[in-house]
Amino acid sequence: MDHDGDFSAYASARWPTLVRSAVFLGCNLDEAHDLVQTTLLRCYTGWRRVEKATDRDAYVYRILLNCHRDSRRRRWWGERPTAALPDAGSDDPTRQVDMSDAVNRALGDLSKVNREVVVLRYYAHLSERQTAEVLGIAPGTVKSRLSRALNQLATNSHLSDLAEGTQR
């Protein structure tokens, strides 16, 4: 078997999704690239275990979350000041950037555990069972965390401002 080829194909296919998931977990783009590289390095060194996993994607996302948690334990992640954004009109070419920023801010307002569940369930498209397996929790806990997270997102000022066409 060509383990290097299998790994390379898997890593190439999953790279964009893993990077975006890392961004949704609270990393900036550079940190996300580092996190995914670390994750894939761990996958490469243990590729036989990854191949044997019943759900390869869930296994890799578990490694991603563990690497993310480890990185957060080592560094201080305080506030990052940003300038106020201007109002966005309907023909504004920065609308996509504003939407992305609003979603990232709203996800940033969630607790770590709720953000992880939302990212795994809705961005990574893992099932409730897979999400529970990745996080090491019961599927019912996934459902309750999702419910709380979605309620919090529904009332989040970043997203409501975006819906009204303004950005604070």
Side-chain angles (χ1 to χ4, degrees):
M1 293 215 160
D2 181 20
H3 294 293
D4 286 345
D6 290 344
F7 171 79
S8 294
Y10 181 83
S12 296
R14 298 302 191 285
W15 178 267
T17 304
L18 289 168
V19 169
R20 193 67 183 148
S21 295
V23 168
F24 285 147
L25 288 171
C27 298
N28 67 37
L29 191 56
D30 292 330
E31 294 165 345
H33 283 249
D34 290 344
L35 178 61
V36 173
Q37 286 177 1
T38 302
T39 299
L40 291 176
L41 176 63
R42 289 189 185 175
C43 289
Y44 181 75
T45 58
W47 188 243
R48 291 187 197 277
R49 286 188 309 270
V50 175
E51 282 185 314
K52 290 178 184 176
T54 56
D55 190 336
R56 190 179 292 180
D57 287 334
Y59 192 92
V60 171
Y61 271 97
R62 177 147 221 174
I63 295 170
L64 178 81
L65 282 176
N66 287 339
C67 290
H68 180 256
R69 289 171 181 163
D70 289 347
S71 73
R72 294 303 195 223
R73 285 186 200 114
R74 286 189 291 265
R75 293 172 65 181
W76 178 76
W77 296 91
E79 292 182 16
R80 293 187 180 150
T82 59
L85 297 174
D87 290 344
S90 60
D91 294 334
D92 188 353
T94 62
R95 182 79 173 146
Q96 186 67 32
V97 173
D98 290 343
M99 288 174 35
S100 178
D101 182 64
V103 169
N104 282 327
R105 287 174 186 259
L107 287 172
D109 289 345
L110 295 175
S111 69
K112 178 185 71 123
V113 293
N114 287 348
R115 182 174 45 236
E116 290 172 352
V117 168
V118 169
V119 170
L120 292 174
R121 186 70 177 95
Y122 293 111
Y123 183 74
H125 303 292
L126 297 181
S127 68
E128 287 173 355
R129 181 191 54 76
Q130 291 171 315
T131 302
E133 182 181 320
V134 168
L135 296 173
I137 58 177
T141 305
V142 169
K143 291 178 186 180
S144 64
R145 286 183 184 173
L146 275 174
S147 176
R148 281 191 295 269
L150 294 177
N151 285 336
Q152 188 177 351
L153 288 172
T155 60
N156 188 283
S157 64
H158 300 298
L159 297 178
S160 62
D161 289 348
L162 186 64
E164 296 167 6
T166 61
Q167 188 77 23
R168 286 186 187 167

